[in-house]
Amino acid sequence: MSDVFAQLKSIVGAKGFSEDPAEIAPHLEEWRSKYTGKSPLLLKPASTQEVSAILTLCHATNTAVVPQGGNTGLVGAQIPFNGEILITLARMNTIRAVDAKDASLVADAGVVLANAQKAADDAGLMVALSLASEGTTTLGGLISTNAGGVNVLRYGMMREQVLGLEVVLADGKKLDLLRTLRKDNTGYDLKQLFIGAEGTLGIITAAAIKLFPKPEERATAFVAVPDVHAATALLAILQDRTNGLLNAFELMSRDGLDLVLEHVAGARDPLSAPSPWYVLCEASGIKGIGAVFESALEKTLEDGVAADAAIAASETQRAALWNLREAMSEAQKAEGPSLKHDVSVPVSAAADFIATAITAVAHRLPQARPVPFGHLGDGNLHFNFQMARGSDPKAYLAHWDEIQQIVHDIVHEHGGSFSAEHGVGIMKRAALKRYKSAAEVEMMRTLKRTFDPKNILNPGKLIPD
Amino acid sequence: MSDVFAQLKSIVGAKGFSEDPAEIAPHLEEWRSKYTGKSPLLLKPASTQEVSAILTLCHATNTAVVPQGGNTGLVGAQIPFNGEILITLARMNTIRAVDAKDASLVADAGVVLANAQKAADDAGLMVALSLASEGTTTLGGLISTNAGGVNVLRYGMMREQVLGLEVVLADGKKLDLLRTLRKDNTGYDLKQLFIGAEGTLGIITAAAIKLFPKPEERATAFVAVPDVHAATALLAILQDRTNGLLNAFELMSRDGLDLVLEHVAGARDPLSAPSPWYVLCEASGIKGIGAVFESALEKTLEDGVAADAAIAASETQRAALWNLREAMSEAQKAEGPSLKHDVSVPVSAAADFIATAITAVAHRLPQARPVPFGHLGDGNLHFNFQMARGSDPKAYLAHWDEIQQIVHDIVHEHGGSFSAEHGVGIMKRAALKRYKSAAEVEMMRTLKRTFDPKNILNPGKLIPD
């Protein structure tokens, strides 16, 4: 092994590795401290050629590696649990090209999302992807996890942003799929295999992504609705009237709002009377979208679909409305521990799913306080249950697996997914085995065996044992 | 073999097969008569179970099959060249569900696109995909070829429309990926493998696709531009000002327009002075998009990006402008034979590609008359060369392979694709081998070997020998 290490170190040169535990440590721990790994060696290749040489050697010597982007993942996919060698592409951070006419950006996989956003902005365009961790996450990590974020309703997940990829395969071979074409029907679309594969089929070293025109106008409203059925009806009406220009449609309950009002400094209820449910919605695009959005909203108030609405009249008011939604995680954390789920269902099944799952969890754990919220426009709910005040956190969190299975079973019955955005990693491998058909699991295993026969790429992740 | 045939016939029952040459004949010939195949048996399964039983038997007996949708493909992928058994899903034509709240449609693969469009329309929504053959093409065929069409600029290719698939694998196993979720990060996205695979990895038996709100307003213009550089500049400006609401941006040359004016009854030049190049462009969406579009266009006229423009003032005028573009193929056909190419390049490379390729072809075949046209907004050009009047068609068409290689080489140098929309089939397997890297071809072969080890699914298509 020490011989392999010496060869690896010579591939990347003095600046390209670390064996210093202090430097490696931040790469070993998931940011919520849920997972901690160990690794004797951190490799920091500076080029695709170096990544290729690393994997050629690792393949020849059966040496396992874990590729890591910005280490912001939530399911443990980026953590070396068994002493694997860590590979970070942080030094591969060059934006290779921004082409305004072509509306595309080509960059190394180690480029941080915020830097890609900045480069697009400088060219008068924008990257569609936006999420809380954008100052840390890298393109490689975002693509490997098919990241979502706040603009999915309008622009789709990361998969829909990717035009081309450069990938190093398990045996070190470089696969150059780095094209910026919008139309290219020339055989199997191989890049799709690596998007969302959590680094188990290859290491993404560069990507070409789409850029978009920046919206000229935006309209944001905080809307009270009597129930989740009304929320989904509101969604359909607003999508119709804005012709698909909604970029956000976020659900929260009164209980959730109350937590924000209590725990977040400066937060205030924008409406005069309480409502059991709320939607934060926003449309954006050409000049005039605001008027269309407001007129559509007025009609829903007249028709009783919506009960009340506050429309942001300034950027300050808009920020205040968004803060009610964005501070939700912080407020829940301040309130105490939660049993959490990142699930999705068809939008039309959301109301029934929420009601059914709340009833089922209440039956098993009456003290759990449901605080569902999230991207209802995509059917994606952060379906959380807050511990009752004064309870014992350890005893409460001991119900995690049991409650999760109750919730996931009901998600599954509603045609939903046990992981909408976060992926599988190590956390949801058992769920994958439980909810996927045998044929689907077997096909995943076959792909893994075929393209990483020695199981050196992020072993133990995504695919159930 | 006759025993296998007997078993296949018993699987599908009396209504489920034909050995009548007259009934089989229309399935054997590509619609331009470029390819003709042969097949002793046409199977018409009525259910996924029957498809599954068919492939189970074919797999066990090494019996090759060719799945066929609406038989509108242009590269021979749907033709049984070696006496394979033909499978049509025409009897599997049930629309299983249309969900307006969820904006999704679930249907058997044999459903004709126009019927899916109708069902969406009845629910107040629309299918994004639209193309000339929509009265004949089926969902299964459209997905298996990753079809494009006239709305790609705004809504993407077929791949971006697919939410879920039901597939029967080579060994007869059913793979149920028929979900309607917008977000579902639960392992490898297996459905991507079958989209655009031309039936070589499995037979798609059902699909869930996205639906979209119908545009409330549309604005269409026929714009004269001095050159292709100006056309791509116009595209960037209009995309910016309409905030991405362009749904069409189609290029044609004066020579192309002249062919339409000469050969198509009722066609007239909407502008007073001739121009070397034209763009037919259209924006659509919310009320007010027309005013935004027209004001943006006026600015480009003031700035000299565009030379002149005719804006449709009525639905009749709109149809007349569109007819100039849509009649292009018919006009070229009336004029005589053409050497044709379905290529794409990055939009920013289009002007240079067109100039370079025209020069190169003129050098080799001075009498060829370039008539490029197509979806410039997607970088997709139908890069055709018309035979000079009075020449010998046979002698002219004998240059097909040679000219095609000249054009494809230049496409490749410009980072482009030798098949933008049409696929590979049998026609472009040699091009695939020439322009793809060895690593990419090998990975395709590996996928094919892995998931169809007996090579019974559409053998000889897509993958080079």
Side-chain angles (χ1 to χ4, degrees):
Chain A
M1 205 61 178
S2 67
D3 182 45
V4 173
F5 278 31
Q7 289 181 62
L8 287 169
K9 289 190 256 181
S10 107
I11 287 168
V12 291
K15 287 184 186 166
F17 69 90
S18 176
E19 294 173 298
D20 174 7
E23 186 180 347
I24 298 176
H27 295 274
L28 299 177
E29 190 158 332
E30 184 251 15
W31 65 276
R32 296 170 311 177
S33 305
K34 201 172 170 71
Y35 300 107
T36 309
K38 56 183 177 180
S39 177
L41 178 63
L42 173 67
L43 294 176
K44 303 181 279 185
S47 68
T48 304
Q49 290 85 332
E50 287 184 8
V51 175
S52 181
I54 290 167
L55 289 192
T56 301
L57 179 61
C58 288
H59 189 256
T61 57
N62 290 301
T63 309
V65 301
V66 174
Q68 189 179 88
N71 192 16
T72 62
L74 294 163
V75 292
Q78 76 277 27
I79 303 298
F81 289 99
N82 299 300
E84 297 92 343
I85 290 170
L86 258 176
I87 302 183
T88 172
L89 270 55
R91 288 173 74 214
M92 292 176 61
N93 58 4
T94 302
I95 293 175
R96 300 189 191 177
V98 180
D99 186 331
K101 268 195 177 174
D102 194 40
S104 67
L105 177 147
V106 182
D108 288 351
V111 166
V112 168
L113 176 55
N115 295 336
Q117 290 168 337
K118 171 78 169 57
D121 192 64
D122 290 347
L125 294 164
M126 68 167 201
V127 175
L129 209 78
S130 174
L131 32 68
S133 57
E134 61 199 23
T136 313
T137 52
T138 64
L139 293 181
L142 292 162
I143 295 168
S144 293
T145 57
N146 187 27
V150 300
N151 286 331
V152 173
L153 182 59
R154 174 80 173 279
Y155 300 96
M157 303 281 281
M158 190 73 219
R159 183 180 301 279
E160 293 186 56
Q161 318 301 321
V162 176
L163 293 169
L165 290 180
E166 179 187 88
V167 184
V168 175
L169 301 176
D171 63 1
K173 212 175 275 161
K174 180 176 126 178
L175 187 66
D176 183 356
L177 311 168
L178 202 54
R179 300 183 274 264
T180 63
L181 303 170
R182 308 283 161 154
K183 297 170 94 169
D184 182 20
N185 275 343
T186 52
Y188 305 148
D189 190 2
L190 299 177
K191 68 176 180 291
Q192 302 295 341
L193 278 171
F194 304 98
I195 302 172
E198 301 180 359
T200 62
L201 295 178
I203 296 183
I204 295 168
T205 50
I209 62 171
K210 294 178 191 170
L211 300 180
F212 295 85
K214 296 184 236 183
E216 295 197 40
E217 193 176 303
R218 218 186 290 269
T220 312
F222 191 79
V223 187
V225 287
D227 53 36
V228 182
H229 279 293
T232 56
L234 178 66
L235 173 66
I237 294 166
L238 293 181
Q239 284 287 47
D240 180 55
R241 296 291 302 281
T242 65
N243 203 246
L245 296 190
L246 282 188
N247 60 286
F249 194 88
E250 302 283 320
L251 181 76
M252 71 183 79
S253 66
R254 180 69 211 185
D255 291 343
L257 181 62
D258 280 338
L259 292 180
V260 173
L261 297 177
E262 180 168 351
H263 293 289
V264 178
R268 60 168 210 86
D269 186 347
L271 300 174
S272 50
S275 163
W277 294 94
Y278 300 92
V279 168
L280 174 74
C281 50
E282 187 171 272
S284 57
I286 55 169
K287 277 200 170 40
I289 180 65
V292 168
F293 178 74
E294 288 182 28
S295 122
L297 207 50
E298 268 165 36
K299 184 82 168 45
T300 65
L301 289 165
E302 282 165 25
D303 295 350
V305 175
D308 197 4
I311 295 177
S314 67
E315 194 50 40
T316 311
Q317 286 184 16
R318 174 176 177 259
L321 295 184
W322 266 106
N323 190 46
L324 297 175
R325 164 64 183 86
E326 286 175 343
M328 186 64 73
S329 295
E330 178 196 336
Q332 293 193 1
K333 196 172 179 184
E335 176 72 7
S338 288
L339 304 170
K340 297 184 177 182
H341 310 85
D342 167 47
V343 300
S344 68
V345 291
V347 169
S348 54
D352 190 62
F353 159 71
I354 290 174
T356 307
I358 285 177
T359 304
V361 172
H363 188 73
R364 179 63 199 89
L365 202 64
Q367 69 272 33
R369 297 150 59 198
V371 199
F373 71 102
H375 321 294
L376 180 61
D378 314 310
N380 178 194
L381 298 167
H382 299 301
F383 199 69
N384 296 351
F385 290 86
Q386 195 89 39
M387 184 184 79
R389 289 184 184 181
S391 302
D392 171 39
K394 207 174 153 196
Y396 184 71
L397 291 175
H399 293 284
W400 188 289
D401 289 346
E402 184 191 4
I403 297 302
Q404 184 169 272
Q405 185 156 318
I406 291 172
V407 171
H408 286 173
D409 280 358
I410 297 168
V411 164
H412 190 66
E413 287 158 17
H414 285 78
S417 165
F418 59 85
S419 189
E421 299 195 304
H422 298 169
V424 177
I426 190 149
M427 185 195 261
K428 297 195 173 174
R429 291 192 310 158
L432 193 151
K433 198 167 174 184
R434 182 176 176 88
Y435 300 109
K436 296 281 183 182
S437 68
E440 196 169 349
V441 174
E442 184 48 38
M443 194 157 175
M444 288 188 201
R445 284 192 174 123
T446 301
L447 281 169
K448 174 68 175 170
R449 265 198 310 270
T450 303
F451 294 108
D452 180 20
K454 296 185 166 186
N455 196 26
I456 62 163
L457 290 172
N458 214 1
K461 310 294 170 53
L462 195 141
I463 312 272
D465 290 328
Chain B
M1 203 63 180
S2 68
D3 183 45
V4 174
F5 278 30
Q7 289 181 61
L8 287 169
K9 289 190 255 181
S10 106
I11 287 168
V12 292
K15 287 184 186 165
F17 69 90
S18 175
E19 294 173 296
D20 173 6
E23 187 179 347
I24 297 176
H27 295 274
L28 299 178
E29 189 156 335
E30 184 250 18
W31 64 276
R32 296 171 310 178
S33 305
K34 201 172 170 70
Y35 301 107
T36 308
K38 56 182 177 180
S39 177
L41 178 62
L42 173 68
L43 293 176
K44 304 181 278 185
S47 69
T48 303
Q49 290 84 331
E50 287 183 9
V51 176
S52 180
I54 290 168
L55 289 191
T56 302
L57 179 62
C58 288
H59 189 255
T61 57
N62 290 300
T63 308
V65 302
V66 174
Q68 189 179 88
N71 193 16
T72 62
L74 293 164
V75 292
Q78 76 277 25
I79 303 298
F81 288 99
N82 299 299
E84 297 92 342
I85 290 170
L86 256 175
I87 302 183
T88 172
L89 269 57
R91 288 173 73 212
M92 293 175 62
N93 57 5
T94 302
I95 293 175
R96 301 189 190 177
V98 179
D99 186 331
K101 268 194 179 177
D102 195 39
S104 67
L105 178 148
V106 183
D108 288 351
V111 166
V112 168
L113 176 56
N115 294 337
Q117 290 168 336
K118 170 79 170 55
D121 191 65
D122 290 347
L125 293 165
M126 67 167 203
V127 175
L129 208 78
S130 174
L131 33 67
S133 56
E134 62 199 25
T136 313
T137 53
T138 64
L139 292 181
L142 292 162
I143 296 168
S144 292
T145 57
N146 186 29
V150 300
N151 285 331
V152 173
L153 182 60
R154 174 79 173 280
Y155 300 96
M157 304 280 281
M158 190 73 220
R159 184 180 300 279
E160 293 187 55
Q161 319 300 323
V162 176
L163 293 168
L165 290 181
E166 180 188 86
V167 184
V168 175
L169 301 176
D171 62 1
K173 213 175 273 162
K174 178 177 127 179
L175 187 67
D176 183 356
L177 311 168
L178 203 54
R179 301 184 272 265
T180 63
L181 304 169
R182 308 283 161 155
K183 295 169 94 169
D184 181 22
N185 274 343
T186 52
Y188 305 146
D189 190 1
L190 299 177
K191 69 176 178 290
Q192 302 295 341
L193 278 172
F194 305 99
I195 302 171
E198 301 180 1
T200 61
L201 295 177
I203 295 182
I204 295 169
T205 51
I209 62 171
K210 295 179 189 168
L211 300 180
F212 295 85
K214 296 184 236 182
E216 296 197 38
E217 193 176 306
R218 218 186 289 268
T220 311
F222 191 79
V223 187
V225 287
D227 53 36
V228 182
H229 279 293
T232 56
L234 178 68
L235 173 66
I237 294 166
L238 292 181
Q239 283 288 46
D240 180 57
R241 295 290 303 282
T242 64
N243 204 245
L245 296 189
L246 282 189
N247 61 285
F249 194 88
E250 302 283 320
L251 181 76
M252 71 183 78
S253 65
R254 179 70 212 185
D255 290 344
L257 181 62
D258 280 339
L259 292 181
V260 173
L261 297 178
E262 179 168 351
H263 293 290
V264 179
R268 61 167 210 87
D269 185 348
L271 301 175
S272 51
S275 163
W277 293 94
Y278 299 93
V279 169
L280 174 75
C281 50
E282 188 171 271
S284 58
I286 56 171
K287 279 202 169 42
I289 180 64
V292 169
F293 177 74
E294 288 182 28
S295 122
L297 207 49
E298 268 164 37
K299 184 82 168 46
T300 64
L301 288 166
E302 282 165 27
D303 294 349
V305 174
D308 197 4
I311 296 177
S314 66
E315 194 50 40
T316 310
Q317 286 184 15
R318 176 177 175 257
L321 296 184
W322 266 107
N323 190 46
L324 297 176
R325 163 64 183 84
E326 286 176 343
M328 186 63 73
S329 296
E330 178 196 337
Q332 293 193 2
K333 197 172 177 183
E335 176 72 6
S338 287
L339 304 171
K340 297 183 178 184
H341 311 84
D342 167 48
V343 300
S344 68
V345 291
V347 169
S348 54
D352 189 62
F353 159 70
I354 290 174
T356 307
I358 285 178
T359 303
V361 172
H363 187 73
R364 178 64 199 85
L365 203 63
Q367 70 272 34
R369 297 149 60 199
V371 198
F373 70 102
H375 319 295
L376 180 62
D378 314 312
N380 179 193
L381 297 168
H382 300 301
F383 200 68
N384 296 351
F385 289 85
Q386 195 90 40
M387 186 185 77
R389 289 187 184 178
S391 304
D392 171 39
K394 207 173 157 198
Y396 185 71
L397 290 174
H399 293 286
W400 188 289
D401 289 346
E402 183 192 5
I403 296 301
Q404 183 168 270
Q405 185 157 318
I406 291 172
V407 171
H408 286 172
D409 281 357
I410 297 168
V411 164
H412 190 66
E413 286 158 18
H414 285 79
S417 166
F418 60 85
S419 189
E421 299 194 306
H422 298 169
V424 177
I426 189 151
M427 185 195 262
K428 296 194 172 174
R429 291 193 310 156
L432 194 150
K433 198 167 174 186
R434 182 176 175 88
Y435 300 109
K436 296 282 183 183
S437 67
E440 197 169 348
V441 174
E442 184 47 38
M443 194 156 174
M444 288 189 202
R445 285 193 174 123
T446 302
L447 281 168
K448 174 68 174 171
R449 264 198 310 271
T450 304
F451 295 108
D452 181 19
K454 296 186 167 187
N455 196 24
I456 63 165
L457 290 172
N458 214 0
K461 310 294 169 56
L462 194 139
I463 312 272
D465 288 328

